[in-house]
C-alpha cells in the first residue's frame, strides 16, 4: 500500500518507470496549491469554530451565569433581611422597624437583584424563551416587593403582616415539587441550569470542528507525501535541489502548528467555563455569597484571558495568509522549474 503510493507521488508508474516530465510537473503545479489551500481552509474552519465558541462563552455566557447567580443570592438575602426585620413564624418585628421600616439593606439587595436580571438579559446569551422567562421573573420580583412593602406597612398587625410575608414567600420559593418552576428563585435556578448545559455543549468539540480538523490532518498527510515526491522528482529528473519548493510549502504545515495549540488552549478555557458554571449554581445565599461569586467571576475572566483568544486569532490570520501565499508560490515555482519542458510539450501538440 505504502510503496505504490510513494511511487506515484515521486512520478513513477507502479512498475517503476519514470513519468514524462512536463505532464507530471503540470499536474503537480495544480495539485500542490490546491492541496495546500484545502488544508488551510479546513484547518482554518476548525479553528474559527472553536474561536467563535470561546468568544460566545467569554462575552455572553460567563457574564450571564454570573449575573443570574448574583440575582438569585441577592433575592434570597433580601428575603432573609425582610423576615428578620418584620418577624417570621410568630416572632415580633424588630423595634427599629417602627422608625426605619425595612432599612437600607433590603432595598439595596433587591435593586442589585433587579439590575443583575437586566444585565443577564442584555448579554445575548439567552434564547428568546429564556429572555421571556427573565421578564416574567422581573415582574414577579416587583410583585414580591409589593407584598413585602404591604407587610411592612401593616407590621403592627400580626395577622396582616404574616399574610403578606407568607404570600411574598410563595412568590419567592416553590413549595413541594411542581412539574415546572413557578416561583422566582426556582425559575432563576432553572435558567442557571439551562445556561450551564448550553455552556457545556459549547465547550465540546462540535461535528464541524472535529470533522474539519480530521479531514485537514488527512489532507496535510497527502500534501506532505505529494511535496516529498515532487521534490524527489525535481532532484532526480531535473537535478534541482528544490529548496524554493520546500520553503514555499513549509508555511502550510507551520500554519497547522499555529492553529492546533490555539484551538487546544481555547478548548481548555471553554471546559473551565463549563465547570465554573456548575460552581456558580452551587453558591448558596450566605453572608459570603457575593464574595464567592466575585472570586469565580474573576477566575473566569483570568482563565479566558489566559487563552489569549485575540492574540491567537491574529496569529491564525497571519499563518493562514502566509500559508496560502506559500501554497500559490509552490505552483509558480513548479511552473518555473518546468518552463522549458512545457514549451517542448506545447510545440509538439
Amino acid at each position: 500500500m505504502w510503496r505504490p503510493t510513494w511511487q506515484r507521488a515521486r512520478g513513477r508508474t507502479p512498475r517503476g518507470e519514470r513519468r514524462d516530465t512536463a505532464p507530471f510537473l503540470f499536474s503537480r503545479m495544480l495539485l500542490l496549491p490546491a492541496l495546500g489551500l484545502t488544508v488551510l481552509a479546513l484547518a482554518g474552519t476548525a479553528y474559527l469554530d472553536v474561536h467563535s465558541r470561546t468568544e460566545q462563552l467569554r462575552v455572553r455566557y460567563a457574564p450571564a451565569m454570573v449575573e443570574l447567580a448574583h440575582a438569585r443570592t441577592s433575592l434570597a438575602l433580601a428575603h432573609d433581611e425582610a423576615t428578620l426585620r418584620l418577624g417570621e413564624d410568630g416572632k415580633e418585628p424588630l423595634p427599629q422597624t417602627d422608625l426605619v421600616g425595612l432599612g437600607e439593606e433590603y432595598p439595596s439587595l433587591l435593586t442589585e437583584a433587579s439590575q443583575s436580571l437586566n444585565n443577564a438579559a442584555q448579554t445575548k446569551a439567552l434564547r428568546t424563551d429564556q429572555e421571556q422567562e427573565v421578564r416574567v421573573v422581573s415582574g414577579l420580583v416587583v410583585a414580591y416587593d409589593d407584598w413585602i412593602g404591604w407587610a411592612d406597612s401593616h407590621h403592627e398587625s400580626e395577622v396582616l403582616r404574616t399574610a403578606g410575608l407568607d404570600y411574598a414567600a410563595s412568590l419567592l420559593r416553590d413549595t413541594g415539587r411542581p412539574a415546572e418552576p413557578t416561583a422566582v428563585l426556582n425559575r432563576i435556578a432553572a435558567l442557571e441550569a439551562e445556561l450551564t448545559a448550553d455552556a457545556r455543549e459549547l465547550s465540546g468539540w462540535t461535528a464541524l470542528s472535529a470533522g474539519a480538523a480530521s479531514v485537514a490532518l488527512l489532507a496535510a498527510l497527502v500534501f506532505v507525501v505529494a511535496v516529498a515526491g515532487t521534490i524527489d522528482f525535481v532532484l532526480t529528473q531535473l537535478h534541482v535541489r528544490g529548496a524554493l519548493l520546500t520553503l514555499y510549502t513549509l508555511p502550510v504545515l507551520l500554519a497547522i502548528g499555529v492553529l492546533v495549540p490555539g484551538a487546544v488552549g481555547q478548548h481548555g478555557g471553554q471546559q473551565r467555563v463549563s465547570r465554573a458554571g456548575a460552581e456558580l449554581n452551587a453558591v448558596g445565599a450566605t453572608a459570603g455569597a457575593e464574595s464567592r461569586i466575585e472570586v469565580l467571576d474573576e477566575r473566569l475572566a483570568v482563565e479566558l484571558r489566559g487563552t489569549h483568544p485575540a492574540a491567537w486569532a491574529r496569529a491564525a490570520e497571519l499563518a493562514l495568509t502566509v500559508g496560502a501565499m506559500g501554497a500559490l508560490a509552490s505552483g509558480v515555482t513548479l511552473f518555473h522549474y518546468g518552463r522549458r519542458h512545457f514549451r517542448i510539450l506545447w510545440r509538439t501538440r
Side-chain angles (χ1 to χ4, degrees):
M1 177 64 183
W2 167 250
R3 184 172 177 79
T5 300
W6 174 241
Q7 289 287 71
R8 285 193 294 271
R10 60 196 292 260
R12 290 185 179 274
T13 65
R15 295 180 179 180
E17 299 170 352
R18 177 69 65 183
R19 295 183 184 275
D20 292 338
T21 300
F24 178 81
L25 289 179
F26 184 78
S27 65
R28 291 306 167 91
M29 183 181 74
L30 300 177
L31 178 65
L32 293 190
L35 273 176
L37 293 175
T38 299
V39 170
L40 295 172
L42 290 168
T45 298
Y47 172 80
L48 291 175
D49 179 61
V50 174
H51 176 72
S52 66
R53 288 185 285 114
T54 299
E55 286 299 292
Q56 289 185 60
L57 288 168
R58 184 175 67 87
V59 178
R60 298 181 181 183
Y61 284 85
M65 290 189 290
V66 168
E67 294 294 350
L68 287 177
H70 271 304
R72 175 173 51 80
T73 55
S74 294
L75 283 169
L77 291 171
H79 185 70
D80 291 343
E81 179 67 15
T83 54
L84 174 65
R85 287 183 172 274
L86 296 176
E88 194 178 34
D89 298 329
K91 296 179 182 178
E92 292 295 320
L94 295 179
Q96 60 266 38
T97 303
D98 288 329
L99 299 175
V100 297
L102 294 171
E104 297 180 358
E105 188 170 356
Y106 167 80
S108 174
L109 288 168
L110 208 67
T111 300
E112 288 177 9
S114 298
Q115 185 61 48
S116 292
L117 287 171
N118 185 52
N119 291 342
Q122 292 179 356
T123 59
K124 298 181 180 179
L126 305 179
R127 300 188 299 270
T128 302
D129 60 319
Q130 292 172 330
E131 289 182 3
Q132 180 63 37
E133 184 73 358
V134 169
R135 285 193 286 270
V136 171
V137 169
S138 297
L140 290 173
V141 169
V142 173
Y144 166 83
D145 187 37
D146 289 342
W147 279 102
I148 291 293
W150 190 86
D152 178 39
S153 63
H154 297 84
H155 70 270
E156 294 180 352
S157 170
E158 181 180 352
V159 174
L160 295 179
R161 184 182 73 247
T162 302
L165 285 173
D166 287 346
Y167 197 81
S170 70
L171 290 174
L172 195 67
R173 291 187 178 92
D174 284 328
T175 55
R177 295 184 178 180
E180 295 290 336
T182 58
V184 171
L185 293 180
N186 301 84
R187 287 174 181 265
I188 294 176
L191 279 172
E192 288 184 285
E194 289 178 9
L195 274 183
T196 302
D198 290 343
R200 188 178 301 113
E201 184 176 348
L202 273 176
S203 65
W205 293 107
T206 65
L208 176 61
S209 58
S214 300
V215 179
L217 291 176
L218 180 61
L221 178 61
V222 175
F223 179 74
V224 169
V225 173
V227 169
T230 305
I231 292 174
D232 178 80
F233 183 92
V234 167
L235 180 61
T236 57
Q237 189 74 1
L238 304 181
H239 305 291
V240 176
R241 292 185 180 277
L244 275 178
L245 186 60
T246 304
L247 179 66
Y248 289 142
T249 55
L250 192 59
V252 175
L253 302 178
L254 292 179
I256 296 179
V258 172
L259 296 176
V260 169
V264 170
Q266 292 189 44
H267 178 67
Q270 294 169 9
Q271 294 291 313
R272 289 190 287 273
V273 171
S274 178
R275 289 193 293 269
E279 292 183 52
L280 284 167
N281 295 352
V283 175
T286 61
E290 291 301 304
S291 61
R292 175 61 178 160
I293 293 171
E294 293 298 332
V295 167
L296 288 172
D297 186 18
E298 179 61 24
R299 195 178 81 191
L300 272 175
V302 169
E303 289 179 345
L304 284 171
R305 283 198 305 267
T307 63
H308 305 292
W312 277 114
R314 288 193 294 270
E317 290 175 4
L318 179 61
L320 289 171
T321 301
V322 174
M325 293 173 62
L328 294 173
S330 67
V332 175
T333 302
L334 285 175
F335 175 79
H336 175 72
Y337 286 166
R339 186 170 49 188
R340 182 170 59 85
H341 297 277
F342 294 150
R343 288 201 197 101
I344 297 172
L345 177 64
W346 294 332
R347 285 172 183 172
T348 57
R349 288 190 174 185

